[in-house]
Amino acid sequence: MVTNLTETVSPSVWHGWGDPSHARPLGAGALEFLRRTLKLTSIDAGHPPVDVADVRVGPVALEEDDLDEIRAIVGTQHVATDAVERILHAGGKSTPDLLRRRSGDALEAPDAVVFPGRTEEVGQLLALCVRRQLAVVAFGGGTSVVGGVEPLRGRFAGVVTLDMRRMNRLLQVDPVSRTASFEAGIRGPAIEAALAPHGFTLGHFPQSHQEATLGGYVATRSAGQASTGYGRSDELVKTVHLETPAGPFDVGSLAPGTAAGPKLLDVVVGSEGTLGVITAVTVKVSPTPEDKVYGSWSFPSFAAGADAMRRLRHDGRLGDMPHVCRLSDTDETASTFKLGGWKTGLLSGYLAIRGQQTPVLSLFVWEGDRRGASARMRRSARILRRAGGIPLGPAPGKSWEHGRFSGPYLRDELLTRGVYVETLETAATWGQLEPTYQSVRRAILDALEARGGAAHVQTHISHVYSDGASLYFTFLSGLEEDWLAQNARVKEAASNAIVAAGATITHHHAVGLDHAPYMGAEIGDLGIKVLAGIKNTLDPAGIMNPGKLIPTPLETQP
């Protein structure tokens, strides 16, 4: 069974996130909150992006013979060298990526954007790029926030971006084994639309869901907002087909378990386009839930809330865990209440009477059959109450779900108003979670305030495991004149704090360019040599996504 899907790529803006029709302006309360918190005298829309016609793009470095060979493989209509298409593929969606393009700088745009339609075409394109010494960047939704799709030429004659959007078919569903196979260019909403008639869901909903692709999920080892229930992308993948410069590479097994040596699937999952191009994936799927049950609780501190989540994982039945588990710290809770239109005075008074002067908010969603989801929520509620939680009802969870994909749109308006905003994340064991939270938060604040400005840092837990949890930091400050230096200063300070705490340098944003310098602390020097050895086997010419994941500076030197 092969299902051809109508291309569902939403309208996109070259300087921001997703479909501009989904963006909403900041209200008066939000603007006042930002003025007061960040001590900004002005927060008007004084930093708009330049007109796309004024964006600087370098000349196409490819020879006409190169382009003719590429066109012969995929068809002339599937090769683009125009300025707009190159700008759209000039990087990902990190704040520096967007600020660069908004200011008119797309000088590092790829020389050509190619849209393959079949796995065989991808293999032929890679062989051509080896012969012609062209770097290759695989491009799904382009949602990387760590420099994962920067079109770096390095020592190569040019760079070609392979946009996978045409490879978006559902290939097969096995309802008995509960697996489904897709081409890798299919995007999040299209995955769910393709599975729905069969009664299944992938259950993978990262904040980038509307734009990101299945191949991107696998290549970056992503985690979705409901991963506590459905599992991370690396837990959902059964098999992957990878086209590499050395030839096709099939990894994984449909068998439920195997002892046949090291798991080569993990060589590809998280490889970030540095070994080849993922063209097809088989994943585990779950029955579409009949019902969702929402709950929220308040706790007196972030540490108390985190301990409640630990108890929920350790003391409750494993099957009772909510699919979504989120805990906001005091700062994020306060901004949620303020910006969400809550009756904060009444709520704050009620919680203060109950002994929670600086409350933190937790949100949970249980999915499943109608009776089962409610029963799981009730059993979990007993644990949360014993841990000091005060129930606040289903409304906060429903409100969060309604706006769960809106954060990136908010960033676009903040940048227009001269507000620097960025995120980073990590994960630590339960024993190290609180000190990691405190040290990374402090490092971000100190770095943001180093030039005399005010800053706001808010944090939440979004993924819960038996042995620990994730930490996701969002931080804001006034945009400095040298915003690249500002961003580098903050990311370096935070990354050093993460490494010093013994936490992971990335929980679900992947490595890309930003985190590559810290891979030695993550896997050791010998581990880097192992990764480099695998790359040398599958990509001996080094054309695949130079400079990412593996900290080998020679790849990016001209």
mmCIF file of all heavy atoms in Angstrom, residues 10 12 16-18 88-89 91-95 97-98 101 138-150 187-188 206-217 220 222 408-409 411 422-423 472 508-510:
data_model
loop_
_atom_site.group_PDB
_atom_site.id
_atom_site.type_symbol
_atom_site.label_atom_id
_atom_site.label_comp_id
_atom_site.label_asym_id
_atom_site.label_seq_id
_atom_site.Cartn_x
_atom_site.Cartn_y
_atom_site.Cartn_z
ATOM 1 N N SER A 10 2.906 24.292 4.500
ATOM 2 C CA SER A 10 2.181 25.534 4.746
ATOM 3 C C SER A 10 2.956 26.719 4.189
ATOM 4 O O SER A 10 4.163 26.637 3.945
ATOM 5 C CB SER A 10 1.967 25.726 6.245
ATOM 6 O OG SER A 10 3.213 25.807 6.912
ATOM 7 N N SER A 12 5.174 29.918 4.189
ATOM 8 C CA SER A 12 6.271 30.166 5.115
ATOM 9 C C SER A 12 6.855 31.541 4.850
ATOM 10 O O SER A 12 6.747 32.082 3.751
ATOM 11 C CB SER A 12 7.360 29.103 4.950
ATOM 12 O OG SER A 12 8.365 29.256 5.921
ATOM 13 N N GLY A 16 11.050 34.184 9.454
ATOM 14 C CA GLY A 16 10.409 33.797 10.708
ATOM 15 C C GLY A 16 9.888 32.385 10.672
ATOM 16 O O GLY A 16 10.443 31.509 10.006
ATOM 17 N N TRP A 17 8.791 32.182 11.383
ATOM 18 C CA TRP A 17 8.295 30.836 11.613
ATOM 19 C C TRP A 17 6.989 30.584 10.883
ATOM 20 O O TRP A 17 6.030 31.340 11.024
ATOM 21 C CB TRP A 17 8.070 30.627 13.110
ATOM 22 C CG TRP A 17 7.580 29.243 13.430
ATOM 23 C CD1 TRP A 17 6.294 28.855 13.670
ATOM 24 C CD2 TRP A 17 8.371 28.064 13.537
ATOM 25 N NE1 TRP A 17 6.237 27.509 13.907
ATOM 26 C CE2 TRP A 17 7.504 26.991 13.832
ATOM 27 C CE3 TRP A 17 9.732 27.802 13.389
ATOM 28 C CZ2 TRP A 17 7.959 25.691 13.999
ATOM 29 C CZ3 TRP A 17 10.176 26.507 13.560
ATOM 30 C CH2 TRP A 17 9.297 25.466 13.866
ATOM 31 N N GLY A 18 6.937 29.495 10.142
ATOM 32 C CA GLY A 18 5.700 28.917 9.690
ATOM 33 C C GLY A 18 4.772 29.809 8.895
ATOM 34 O O GLY A 18 5.189 30.656 8.111
ATOM 35 N N LEU A 88 15.291 30.984 1.603
ATOM 36 C CA LEU A 88 14.460 30.116 2.445
ATOM 37 C C LEU A 88 15.248 28.934 3.009
ATOM 38 O O LEU A 88 14.857 28.358 4.028
ATOM 39 C CB LEU A 88 13.268 29.604 1.639
ATOM 40 C CG LEU A 88 12.124 30.583 1.418
ATOM 41 C CD1 LEU A 88 11.167 30.053 0.363
ATOM 42 C CD2 LEU A 88 11.388 30.836 2.732
ATOM 43 N N HIS A 89 16.344 28.581 2.362
ATOM 44 C CA HIS A 89 17.152 27.438 2.794
ATOM 45 C C HIS A 89 18.518 27.870 3.319
ATOM 46 O O HIS A 89 19.440 27.061 3.399
ATOM 47 C CB HIS A 89 17.328 26.459 1.628
ATOM 48 C CG HIS A 89 16.057 25.792 1.216
ATOM 49 N ND1 HIS A 89 15.132 26.400 0.396
ATOM 50 C CD2 HIS A 89 15.537 24.575 1.518
ATOM 51 C CE1 HIS A 89 14.113 25.584 0.200
ATOM 52 N NE2 HIS A 89 14.325 24.475 0.870
ATOM 53 N N GLY A 91 19.449 28.580 6.260
ATOM 54 C CA GLY A 91 19.699 28.221 7.653
ATOM 55 C C GLY A 91 18.431 27.705 8.292
ATOM 56 O O GLY A 91 17.425 27.450 7.614
ATOM 57 N N GLY A 92 18.484 27.565 9.601
ATOM 58 C CA GLY A 92 17.347 27.037 10.331
ATOM 59 C C GLY A 92 16.522 28.127 10.981
ATOM 60 O O GLY A 92 16.330 29.206 10.411
ATOM 61 N N LYS A 93 16.069 27.848 12.213
ATOM 62 C CA LYS A 93 15.152 28.754 12.891
ATOM 63 C C LYS A 93 15.656 29.176 14.269
ATOM 64 O O LYS A 93 14.867 29.520 15.143
ATOM 65 C CB LYS A 93 13.780 28.081 13.051
ATOM 66 C CG LYS A 93 13.113 27.690 11.747
ATOM 67 C CD LYS A 93 12.726 28.894 10.901
ATOM 68 C CE LYS A 93 11.899 28.469 9.697
ATOM 69 N NZ LYS A 93 11.525 29.605 8.840
ATOM 70 N N SER A 94 16.960 29.150 14.477
ATOM 71 C CA SER A 94 17.473 29.706 15.725
ATOM 72 C C SER A 94 17.346 31.224 15.679
ATOM 73 O O SER A 94 17.176 31.823 14.605
ATOM 74 C CB SER A 94 18.939 29.317 15.933
ATOM 75 O OG SER A 94 19.772 29.982 15.002
ATOM 76 N N THR A 95 17.445 31.869 16.818
ATOM 77 C CA THR A 95 17.382 33.329 16.843
ATOM 78 C C THR A 95 18.488 33.952 15.987
ATOM 79 O O THR A 95 18.211 34.881 15.213
ATOM 80 C CB THR A 95 17.431 33.836 18.280
ATOM 81 O OG1 THR A 95 16.206 33.445 18.934
ATOM 82 C CG2 THR A 95 17.550 35.343 18.338
ATOM 83 N N ASP A 97 19.887 32.667 13.338
ATOM 84 C CA ASP A 97 19.490 32.426 11.946
ATOM 85 C C ASP A 97 18.499 33.481 11.477
ATOM 86 O O ASP A 97 18.632 34.064 10.396
ATOM 87 C CB ASP A 97 18.832 31.046 11.807
ATOM 88 C CG ASP A 97 19.823 29.911 11.879
ATOM 89 O OD1 ASP A 97 20.992 30.125 11.543
ATOM 90 O OD2 ASP A 97 19.423 28.798 12.278
ATOM 91 N N LEU A 98 17.470 33.717 12.304
ATOM 92 C CA LEU A 98 16.418 34.650 11.920
ATOM 93 C C LEU A 98 16.925 36.089 11.907
ATOM 94 O O LEU A 98 16.583 36.865 11.006
ATOM 95 C CB LEU A 98 15.228 34.514 12.871
ATOM 96 C CG LEU A 98 14.565 33.130 12.897
ATOM 97 C CD1 LEU A 98 13.332 33.145 13.780
ATOM 98 C CD2 LEU A 98 14.200 32.667 11.491
ATOM 99 N N ARG A 101 18.914 36.766 8.698
ATOM 100 C CA ARG A 101 18.092 36.962 7.507
ATOM 101 C C ARG A 101 17.266 38.244 7.609
ATOM 102 O O ARG A 101 17.085 38.955 6.609
ATOM 103 C CB ARG A 101 17.191 35.741 7.284
ATOM 104 C CG ARG A 101 17.976 34.487 6.960
ATOM 105 C CD ARG A 101 17.142 33.436 6.253
ATOM 106 N NE ARG A 101 16.205 32.753 7.125
ATOM 107 C CZ ARG A 101 16.531 31.729 7.905
ATOM 108 N NH1 ARG A 101 17.785 31.295 7.946
ATOM 109 N NH2 ARG A 101 15.622 31.134 8.648
ATOM 110 N N ALA A 138 20.911 17.954 3.887
ATOM 111 C CA ALA A 138 19.542 17.435 3.825
ATOM 112 C C ALA A 138 18.632 18.390 4.596
ATOM 113 O O ALA A 138 18.961 18.813 5.720
ATOM 114 C CB ALA A 138 19.470 16.041 4.418
ATOM 115 N N PHE A 139 17.488 18.727 4.019
ATOM 116 C CA PHE A 139 16.602 19.758 4.572
ATOM 117 C C PHE A 139 15.186 19.204 4.649
ATOM 118 O O PHE A 139 14.587 18.876 3.631
ATOM 119 C CB PHE A 139 16.651 20.985 3.656
ATOM 120 C CG PHE A 139 16.096 22.254 4.250
ATOM 121 C CD1 PHE A 139 16.938 23.210 4.786
ATOM 122 C CD2 PHE A 139 14.730 22.500 4.243
ATOM 123 C CE1 PHE A 139 16.441 24.395 5.312
ATOM 124 C CE2 PHE A 139 14.216 23.672 4.754
ATOM 125 C CZ PHE A 139 15.074 24.632 5.305
ATOM 126 N N GLY A 140 14.673 19.076 5.869
ATOM 127 C CA GLY A 140 13.296 18.643 6.052
ATOM 128 C C GLY A 140 12.395 19.845 6.207
ATOM 129 O O GLY A 140 12.041 20.517 5.249
ATOM 130 N N GLY A 141 12.044 20.152 7.460
ATOM 131 C CA GLY A 141 11.251 21.355 7.715
ATOM 132 C C GLY A 141 12.098 22.580 7.971
ATOM 133 O O GLY A 141 11.579 23.696 8.076
ATOM 134 N N GLY A 142 13.415 22.396 8.116
ATOM 135 C CA GLY A 142 14.313 23.527 8.369
ATOM 136 C C GLY A 142 14.122 24.141 9.726
ATOM 137 O O GLY A 142 14.371 25.333 9.913
ATOM 138 N N THR A 143 13.696 23.344 10.719
ATOM 139 C CA THR A 143 13.354 23.897 12.030
ATOM 140 C C THR A 143 14.492 23.838 13.041
ATOM 141 O O THR A 143 14.287 24.147 14.214
ATOM 142 C CB THR A 143 12.132 23.167 12.615
ATOM 143 O OG1 THR A 143 12.446 21.774 12.780
ATOM 144 C CG2 THR A 143 10.925 23.313 11.708
ATOM 145 N N SER A 144 15.680 23.460 12.625
ATOM 146 C CA SER A 144 16.798 23.357 13.561
ATOM 147 C C SER A 144 17.067 24.679 14.267
ATOM 148 O O SER A 144 17.068 25.744 13.644
ATOM 149 C CB SER A 144 18.073 22.933 12.841
ATOM 150 O OG SER A 144 19.196 23.001 13.708
ATOM 151 N N VAL A 145 17.291 24.609 15.572
ATOM 152 C CA VAL A 145 17.634 25.813 16.340
ATOM 153 C C VAL A 145 19.073 25.756 16.857
ATOM 154 O O VAL A 145 19.453 26.532 17.729
ATOM 155 C CB VAL A 145 16.652 26.025 17.519
ATOM 156 C CG1 VAL A 145 15.267 26.353 17.005
ATOM 157 C CG2 VAL A 145 16.624 24.820 18.448
ATOM 158 N N VAL A 146 19.881 24.835 16.313
ATOM 159 C CA VAL A 146 21.270 24.718 16.753
ATOM 160 C C VAL A 146 22.240 24.744 15.573
ATOM 161 O O VAL A 146 23.362 24.251 15.672
ATOM 162 C CB VAL A 146 21.481 23.425 17.584
ATOM 163 C CG1 VAL A 146 20.742 23.516 18.907
ATOM 164 C CG2 VAL A 146 21.057 22.185 16.805
ATOM 165 N N GLY A 147 21.819 25.331 14.453
ATOM 166 C CA GLY A 147 22.705 25.412 13.296
ATOM 167 C C GLY A 147 22.815 24.122 12.526
ATOM 168 O O GLY A 147 23.774 23.927 11.771
ATOM 169 N N GLY A 148 21.821 23.237 12.657
ATOM 170 C CA GLY A 148 21.911 21.917 12.042
ATOM 171 C C GLY A 148 21.779 21.889 10.545
ATOM 172 O O GLY A 148 22.189 20.910 9.907
ATOM 173 N N VAL A 149 21.211 22.940 9.929
ATOM 174 C CA VAL A 149 21.054 22.950 8.463
ATOM 175 C C VAL A 149 21.757 24.151 7.833
ATOM 176 O O VAL A 149 21.399 24.584 6.735
ATOM 177 C CB VAL A 149 19.558 22.917 8.057
ATOM 178 C CG1 VAL A 149 18.944 21.577 8.411
ATOM 179 C CG2 VAL A 149 18.779 24.056 8.703
ATOM 180 N N GLU A 150 22.769 24.682 8.515
ATOM 181 C CA GLU A 150 23.555 25.762 7.925
ATOM 182 C C GLU A 150 24.277 25.225 6.679
ATOM 183 O O GLU A 150 24.982 24.217 6.749
ATOM 184 C CB GLU A 150 24.596 26.284 8.914
ATOM 185 C CG GLU A 150 24.026 26.747 10.247
ATOM 186 C CD GLU A 150 23.050 27.892 10.087
ATOM 187 O OE1 GLU A 150 23.376 28.861 9.387
ATOM 188 O OE2 GLU A 150 21.954 27.797 10.661
ATOM 189 N N ARG A 187 5.598 15.692 6.758
ATOM 190 C CA ARG A 187 5.589 16.573 7.922
ATOM 191 C C ARG A 187 4.612 16.084 8.991
ATOM 192 O O ARG A 187 3.749 15.234 8.723
ATOM 193 C CB ARG A 187 5.253 17.995 7.503
ATOM 194 C CG ARG A 187 6.276 18.549 6.520
ATOM 195 C CD ARG A 187 6.235 20.048 6.395
ATOM 196 N NE ARG A 187 7.257 20.498 5.450
ATOM 197 C CZ ARG A 187 7.774 21.711 5.428
ATOM 198 N NH1 ARG A 187 7.383 22.621 6.307
ATOM 199 N NH2 ARG A 187 8.693 22.049 4.544
ATOM 200 N N GLY A 188 4.757 16.643 10.191
ATOM 201 C CA GLY A 188 3.989 16.184 11.332
ATOM 202 C C GLY A 188 2.490 16.093 11.098
ATOM 203 O O GLY A 188 1.884 15.028 11.320
ATOM 204 N N PRO A 206 6.421 17.519 18.770
ATOM 205 C CA PRO A 206 7.335 18.574 19.210
ATOM 206 C C PRO A 206 6.718 19.936 18.906
ATOM 207 O O PRO A 206 5.738 20.032 18.158
ATOM 208 C CB PRO A 206 8.588 18.330 18.370
ATOM 209 C CG PRO A 206 8.074 17.664 17.130
ATOM 210 C CD PRO A 206 6.905 16.829 17.569
ATOM 211 N N GLN A 207 7.268 20.988 19.474
ATOM 212 C CA GLN A 207 6.733 22.319 19.189
ATOM 213 C C GLN A 207 6.845 22.651 17.704
ATOM 214 O O GLN A 207 6.069 23.449 17.175
ATOM 215 C CB GLN A 207 7.447 23.374 20.029
ATOM 216 C CG GLN A 207 6.742 24.724 20.016
ATOM 217 C CD GLN A 207 7.363 25.709 20.987
ATOM 218 O OE1 GLN A 207 8.546 26.048 20.878
ATOM 219 N NE2 GLN A 207 6.581 26.165 21.949
ATOM 220 N N SER A 208 7.765 22.000 17.027
ATOM 221 C CA SER A 208 7.960 22.209 15.584
ATOM 222 C C SER A 208 7.045 21.334 14.742
ATOM 223 O O SER A 208 7.213 21.270 13.515
ATOM 224 C CB SER A 208 9.416 21.914 15.215
ATOM 225 O OG SER A 208 9.739 20.562 15.538
ATOM 226 N N HIS A 209 6.079 20.666 15.364
ATOM 227 C CA HIS A 209 5.217 19.676 14.708
ATOM 228 C C HIS A 209 4.672 20.145 13.365
ATOM 229 O O HIS A 209 4.678 19.393 12.389
ATOM 230 C CB HIS A 209 4.060 19.332 15.651
ATOM 231 C CG HIS A 209 2.913 18.613 15.024
ATOM 232 N ND1 HIS A 209 2.986 17.283 14.655
ATOM 233 C CD2 HIS A 209 1.657 19.030 14.703
ATOM 234 C CE1 HIS A 209 1.828 16.913 14.126
ATOM 235 N NE2 HIS A 209 1.005 17.942 14.136
ATOM 236 N N GLN A 210 4.220 21.374 13.280
ATOM 237 C CA GLN A 210 3.572 21.842 12.055
ATOM 238 C C GLN A 210 4.531 21.950 10.881
ATOM 239 O O GLN A 210 4.103 21.922 9.726
ATOM 240 C CB GLN A 210 2.910 23.194 12.322
ATOM 241 C CG GLN A 210 1.774 23.101 13.340
ATOM 242 C CD GLN A 210 1.333 24.466 13.832
ATOM 243 O OE1 GLN A 210 2.159 25.332 14.124
ATOM 244 N NE2 GLN A 210 0.036 24.667 13.922
ATOM 245 N N GLU A 211 5.821 22.073 11.149
ATOM 246 C CA GLU A 211 6.807 22.280 10.090
ATOM 247 C C GLU A 211 7.773 21.113 9.924
ATOM 248 O O GLU A 211 8.244 20.843 8.815
ATOM 249 C CB GLU A 211 7.616 23.551 10.379
ATOM 250 C CG GLU A 211 6.783 24.810 10.519
ATOM 251 C CD GLU A 211 6.152 25.237 9.213
ATOM 252 O OE1 GLU A 211 6.829 25.135 8.179
ATOM 253 O OE2 GLU A 211 4.982 25.652 9.229
ATOM 254 N N ALA A 212 8.112 20.429 11.008
ATOM 255 C CA ALA A 212 9.178 19.430 10.982
ATOM 256 C C ALA A 212 8.742 18.156 10.261
ATOM 257 O O ALA A 212 7.557 17.851 10.136
ATOM 258 C CB ALA A 212 9.616 19.099 12.406
ATOM 259 N N THR A 213 9.734 17.382 9.798
ATOM 260 C CA THR A 213 9.482 16.155 9.046
ATOM 261 C C THR A 213 9.904 14.927 9.849
ATOM 262 O O THR A 213 10.678 15.012 10.809
ATOM 263 C CB THR A 213 10.265 16.151 7.730
ATOM 264 O OG1 THR A 213 11.684 16.172 8.023
ATOM 265 C CG2 THR A 213 9.902 17.352 6.865
ATOM 266 N N LEU A 214 9.409 13.781 9.417
ATOM 267 C CA LEU A 214 9.779 12.525 10.071
ATOM 268 C C LEU A 214 11.279 12.289 9.982
ATOM 269 O O LEU A 214 11.909 11.860 10.953
ATOM 270 C CB LEU A 214 9.010 11.368 9.426
ATOM 271 C CG LEU A 214 9.289 9.973 9.979
ATOM 272 C CD1 LEU A 214 9.008 9.898 11.473
ATOM 273 C CD2 LEU A 214 8.470 8.931 9.218
ATOM 274 N N GLY A 215 11.866 12.564 8.812
ATOM 275 C CA GLY A 215 13.316 12.415 8.699
ATOM 276 C C GLY A 215 14.058 13.309 9.661
ATOM 277 O O GLY A 215 15.081 12.917 10.233
ATOM 278 N N GLY A 216 13.537 14.520 9.863
ATOM 279 C CA GLY A 216 14.135 15.426 10.830
ATOM 280 C C GLY A 216 14.004 14.913 12.253
ATOM 281 O O GLY A 216 14.941 15.042 13.055
ATOM 282 N N TYR A 217 12.850 14.343 12.579
ATOM 283 C CA TYR A 217 12.685 13.749 13.911
ATOM 284 C C TYR A 217 13.784 12.724 14.177
ATOM 285 O O TYR A 217 14.414 12.718 15.244
ATOM 286 C CB TYR A 217 11.341 13.008 14.019
ATOM 287 C CG TYR A 217 10.079 13.831 13.940
ATOM 288 C CD1 TYR A 217 8.861 13.211 13.679
ATOM 289 C CD2 TYR A 217 10.085 15.211 14.130
ATOM 290 C CE1 TYR A 217 7.680 13.939 13.617
ATOM 291 C CE2 TYR A 217 8.913 15.940 14.053
ATOM 292 C CZ TYR A 217 7.710 15.295 13.798
ATOM 293 O OH TYR A 217 6.541 16.011 13.729
ATOM 294 N N THR A 220 17.532 14.041 14.300
ATOM 295 C CA THR A 220 17.886 14.853 15.477
ATOM 296 C C THR A 220 17.549 14.190 16.802
ATOM 297 O O THR A 220 17.739 14.789 17.851
ATOM 298 C CB THR A 220 17.173 16.210 15.414
ATOM 299 O OG1 THR A 220 15.758 15.994 15.387
ATOM 300 C CG2 THR A 220 17.591 16.994 14.180
ATOM 301 N N SER A 222 14.641 13.596 18.207
ATOM 302 C CA SER A 222 13.766 14.583 18.840
ATOM 303 C C SER A 222 12.851 13.940 19.887
ATOM 304 O O SER A 222 12.629 12.730 19.900
ATOM 305 C CB SER A 222 12.917 15.293 17.779
ATOM 306 O OG SER A 222 11.939 14.411 17.258
ATOM 307 N N PRO A 408 6.889 29.789 18.743
ATOM 308 C CA PRO A 408 7.780 30.363 17.725
ATOM 309 C C PRO A 408 7.211 31.604 17.042
ATOM 310 O O PRO A 408 7.960 32.483 16.627
ATOM 311 C CB PRO A 408 7.953 29.213 16.728
ATOM 312 C CG PRO A 408 7.726 27.981 17.531
ATOM 313 C CD PRO A 408 6.644 28.357 18.497
ATOM 314 N N TYR A 409 5.870 31.674 16.910
ATOM 315 C CA TYR A 409 5.269 32.871 16.316
ATOM 316 C C TYR A 409 5.460 34.082 17.222
ATOM 317 O O TYR A 409 5.686 35.206 16.750
ATOM 318 C CB TYR A 409 3.780 32.639 16.058
ATOM 319 C CG TYR A 409 3.502 31.605 15.006
ATOM 320 C CD1 TYR A 409 3.091 30.325 15.359
ATOM 321 C CD2 TYR A 409 3.650 31.898 13.657
ATOM 322 C CE1 TYR A 409 2.833 29.360 14.396
ATOM 323 C CE2 TYR A 409 3.390 30.946 12.681
ATOM 324 C CZ TYR A 409 2.984 29.677 13.056
ATOM 325 O OH TYR A 409 2.735 28.729 12.099
ATOM 326 N N ARG A 411 7.973 34.598 19.131
ATOM 327 C CA ARG A 411 9.351 35.060 18.999
ATOM 328 C C ARG A 411 9.498 36.053 17.855
ATOM 329 O O ARG A 411 10.231 37.043 17.967
ATOM 330 C CB ARG A 411 10.292 33.876 18.786
ATOM 331 C CG ARG A 411 11.736 34.311 18.552
ATOM 332 C CD ARG A 411 12.675 33.158 18.383
ATOM 333 N NE ARG A 411 12.316 32.296 17.267
ATOM 334 C CZ ARG A 411 13.059 31.269 16.850
ATOM 335 N NH1 ARG A 411 14.184 30.980 17.471
ATOM 336 N NH2 ARG A 411 12.670 30.526 15.832
ATOM 337 N N GLU A 422 15.535 33.499 23.197
ATOM 338 C CA GLU A 422 16.126 32.242 22.740
ATOM 339 C C GLU A 422 15.816 31.148 23.761
ATOM 340 O O GLU A 422 15.356 31.426 24.879
ATOM 341 C CB GLU A 422 17.635 32.422 22.540
ATOM 342 C CG GLU A 422 18.364 31.240 21.921
ATOM 343 C CD GLU A 422 17.878 30.848 20.537
ATOM 344 O OE1 GLU A 422 16.714 30.405 20.455
ATOM 345 O OE2 GLU A 422 18.657 30.945 19.561
ATOM 346 N N THR A 423 16.061 29.915 23.369
ATOM 347 C CA THR A 423 15.826 28.773 24.246
ATOM 348 C C THR A 423 17.029 27.845 24.212
ATOM 349 O O THR A 423 17.816 27.852 23.262
ATOM 350 C CB THR A 423 14.584 27.974 23.812
ATOM 351 O OG1 THR A 423 14.824 27.417 22.511
ATOM 352 C CG2 THR A 423 13.344 28.856 23.771
ATOM 353 N N TYR A 472 14.043 22.932 30.292
ATOM 354 C CA TYR A 472 13.939 23.759 29.092
ATOM 355 C C TYR A 472 13.906 25.223 29.515
ATOM 356 O O TYR A 472 12.994 25.637 30.239
ATOM 357 C CB TYR A 472 12.655 23.400 28.329
ATOM 358 C CG TYR A 472 12.554 23.967 26.941
ATOM 359 C CD1 TYR A 472 12.847 23.187 25.830
ATOM 360 C CD2 TYR A 472 12.152 25.275 26.724
ATOM 361 C CE1 TYR A 472 12.743 23.699 24.537
ATOM 362 C CE2 TYR A 472 12.042 25.798 25.446
ATOM 363 C CZ TYR A 472 12.336 25.007 24.359
ATOM 364 O OH TYR A 472 12.233 25.520 23.088
ATOM 365 N N HIS A 508 16.963 17.366 23.327
ATOM 366 C CA HIS A 508 16.173 17.086 22.129
ATOM 367 C C HIS A 508 16.361 18.100 21.001
ATOM 368 O O HIS A 508 15.735 17.961 19.957
ATOM 369 C CB HIS A 508 14.682 16.986 22.473
ATOM 370 C CG HIS A 508 14.098 18.226 23.070
ATOM 371 N ND1 HIS A 508 14.048 18.446 24.432
ATOM 372 C CD2 HIS A 508 13.522 19.315 22.516
ATOM 373 C CE1 HIS A 508 13.466 19.606 24.681
ATOM 374 N NE2 HIS A 508 13.141 20.159 23.527
ATOM 375 N N HIS A 509 17.209 19.101 21.168
ATOM 376 C CA HIS A 509 17.460 20.041 20.081
ATOM 377 C C HIS A 509 18.576 19.581 19.151
ATOM 378 O O HIS A 509 18.825 20.216 18.132
ATOM 379 C CB HIS A 509 17.822 21.423 20.637
ATOM 380 C CG HIS A 509 16.637 22.211 21.081
ATOM 381 N ND1 HIS A 509 16.750 23.399 21.774
ATOM 382 C CD2 HIS A 509 15.304 21.995 20.954
ATOM 383 C CE1 HIS A 509 15.540 23.874 22.038
ATOM 384 N NE2 HIS A 509 14.656 23.043 21.544
ATOM 385 N N ALA A 510 19.269 18.510 19.501
ATOM 386 C CA ALA A 510 20.375 17.954 18.720
ATOM 387 C C ALA A 510 21.652 18.779 18.901
ATOM 388 O O ALA A 510 21.716 19.682 19.737
ATOM 389 C CB ALA A 510 20.004 17.815 17.246
#
